[in-house]
Amino acid sequence: MADGKGRGGPGAPGAKHGRTGGPGTALPGSADVVVVGAGQAGLSVAWHLRRLGLTPGSDLVVLDRGPGAGGAWQFRWESLRLDTAHKVDDLPGMGELGLSFATADRTRAAREVVADYYERYEQAFALDVRRPVEVTGVHEDGRGGFLLTTDRGDIGARVLVNASGTWARPFRPYFAGAAEFRGTQITTPGYRSAEDFRGKRVLVVGGGTSAVGFLRELEGVAAATVWATRRPVEFTGDPDAGVTAVRMADEAARAGRPLPSIVSGTGLPATPENLAAAERGLLVARPMFSSVEPDGVRWADGTFAPVDAIIWATGFRAELTHLAPLRLREPGGGVRVEQGRSVRNPRLFLAGFGPQASTIGANRAGRAVARQVVAELRAPVADPAPVG
């Protein structure tokens, strides 16, 4: 440590920013801190760690499996614009560069704007992000730290910050008969354009902002749309909704339960566009169907709706598969995390997880995680427990 001083998926359309922000993908043998993921949460933590004295590229190594800057945003569909997406918070220090998403060009694709700004941010602050690097496993090294296996070699870390996000793990609920459906089925990351569904009868499943965005884009392009949600839809302008979402996520993370969806705490934004779409019958959700059949879905009352395509906009799960060797799962199925820190392994931090999710608190959490990381680096390393 210096003295005083999103995993994503390669090859997705629109990933145009391929520079690494550093000397390449060669990895050092070890570092004080390794950050996995260079989305909003990972970059926020890295910026604060640099401010607290760590040197990117030596003390601090940031790994990202995407082909370019932008985190998961680089893989989103071309038609998505910043004014129709989740609010994108500015990264810490971004104002020093004269950049702000609040004043960004709304006519450009959101994925292009975010990728451009993140790339300029990485370069301006010399964060030396190594990409593309796929982390395949994380193991305890027997000395209180970690050994990360990657497709570019192994790297050791005294402290690990996992900021791998959720984009690589879309959640698709099980429904009887779904495997026999003869039409098209995709999850949110597979969506590219409304044109792919021109003239088709489309069922959109899910109660979040992505589902709403798909329905609005498909209007006038698809032959018909149907919207199904697990819980009743609520459009709200409640300024405290984000606080509720943070509290719910924090309670679940502390207890080691699966995390609730963000929209279950915030509701859907009551924008004039959404309210008008609801008024004209577009954004009117039906309760969930009971089964999928080869040519459509069967509702609980026995009626049948013929559909040609199903878009499963049913959310995501945290991408933690590479952490499986650490055995972090609780009996309830979740991972216990308090203030961004693993309860089972206090040298592991999960940035952007639960109450720190990128849409509600990733930037605020960056400084808190970074301060805890530096305090952990200064603490004495305990001798490993004897085997047996």
Side-chain angles (χ1 to χ4, degrees):
M1 178 177 168
D3 183 18
K5 306 254 174 157
R7 282 163 61 95
K16 302 194 295 184
H17 298 261
R19 292 190 288 276
T20 64
T25 52
L27 304 182
S30 64
D32 285 335
V33 183
V34 173
V35 176
V36 178
Q40 185 182 41
L43 292 180
S44 177
V45 172
W47 185 88
H48 283 290
L49 287 173
R50 182 178 179 273
R51 292 261 295 189
L52 291 171
L54 275 72
T55 302
S58 54
D59 305 326
L60 165 65
V61 174
V62 183
L63 308 178
D64 188 56
R65 78 176 183 182
W73 284 94
Q74 66 191 289
F75 307 112
R76 296 179 186 254
W77 50 101
E78 193 281 335
S79 58
L80 185 66
R81 297 296 185 267
L82 289 175
D83 56 356
T84 58
H86 278 299
K87 180 177 182 289
V88 186
D89 288 331
D90 291 347
L91 293 168
M94 187 177 279
E96 300 173 27
L97 311 180
L99 300 176
S100 175
F101 290 115
T103 56
D105 185 355
R106 262 48 181 173
T107 66
R108 294 178 63 194
R111 67 186 185 189
E112 295 178 2
V113 176
V114 177
D116 178 26
Y117 282 20
Y118 278 22
E119 182 177 35
R120 292 159 69 179
Y121 184 86
E122 290 177 13
Q123 293 177 346
F125 294 112
L127 296 180
D128 194 14
V129 178
R130 309 300 174 95
R131 62 166 59 92
V133 178
E134 175 84 18
V135 177
T136 56
V138 178
H139 303 261
E140 294 182 4
D141 65 4
R143 299 185 301 274
F146 304 95
L147 180 66
L148 287 72
T149 57
T150 84
D151 61 350
R152 303 285 177 165
D154 297 348
I155 179 173
R158 290 177 58 194
V159 176
L160 174 63
V161 178
N162 189 78
S164 49
T166 62
W167 188 254
R169 284 200 65 202
F171 172 70
R172 179 173 151 181
Y174 171 81
F175 272 93
E180 284 71 51
F181 182 66
R182 285 193 279 255
T184 299
Q185 295 188 74
I186 63 169
T187 56
T188 297
Y191 183 88
R192 294 289 169 260
S193 168
E195 281 297 321
D196 294 339
F197 302 93
R198 179 169 288 281
K200 295 183 178 181
R201 297 164 297 185
V202 184
L203 169 65
V204 178
V205 186
T209 55
S210 292
V212 168
F214 295 151
L215 288 160
R216 288 175 52 188
E217 287 191 19
L218 290 165
E219 186 179 21
V221 178
T225 59
V226 182
W227 187 18
T229 63
R230 185 164 56 88
R231 63 173 62 86
V233 171
E234 179 182 6
F235 293 97
T236 177
D238 182 1
D240 297 324
V243 175
T244 301
V246 170
R247 177 182 54 76
M248 293 170 57
D250 188 46
E251 290 173 354
R254 288 175 180 272
R257 300 194 306 267
L259 300 174
S261 66
I262 299 304
V263 76
S264 65
T266 63
L268 290 165
T271 63
E273 295 80 8
N274 283 349
L275 295 177
E279 181 67 24
R280 64 178 179 269
L282 176 69
L283 297 183
V284 177
R286 293 194 59 168
M288 204 59 104
F289 44 90
S290 58
S291 64
V292 181
E293 299 184 9
D295 299 306
V297 295
R298 183 74 57 182
W299 304 102
D301 62 5
T303 59
F304 178 76
V307 296
D308 305 305
I310 302 175
I311 301 176
W312 298 94
T314 42
F316 297 83
R317 297 293 183 266
E319 175 50 85
L320 304 178
T321 53
H322 54 294
L323 302 180
L326 300 179
R327 300 181 180 179
L328 302 171
R329 293 288 179 185
E330 299 294 331
V335 175
R336 287 187 66 197
V337 177
E338 295 184 3
Q339 297 182 331
R341 190 173 198 160
S342 165
V343 173
R344 285 184 177 260
N345 193 321
R347 284 181 173 260
L348 167 66
F349 296 83
L350 289 92
F353 179 87
Q356 300 180 1
S358 62
T359 54
I360 54 177
N363 282 347
R364 291 195 305 273
R367 181 170 61 178
V369 167
R371 286 178 171 175
Q372 292 180 84
V373 166
V374 170
E376 185 63 37
L377 290 175
R378 291 172 177 161
V381 179
D383 292 332
V387 177

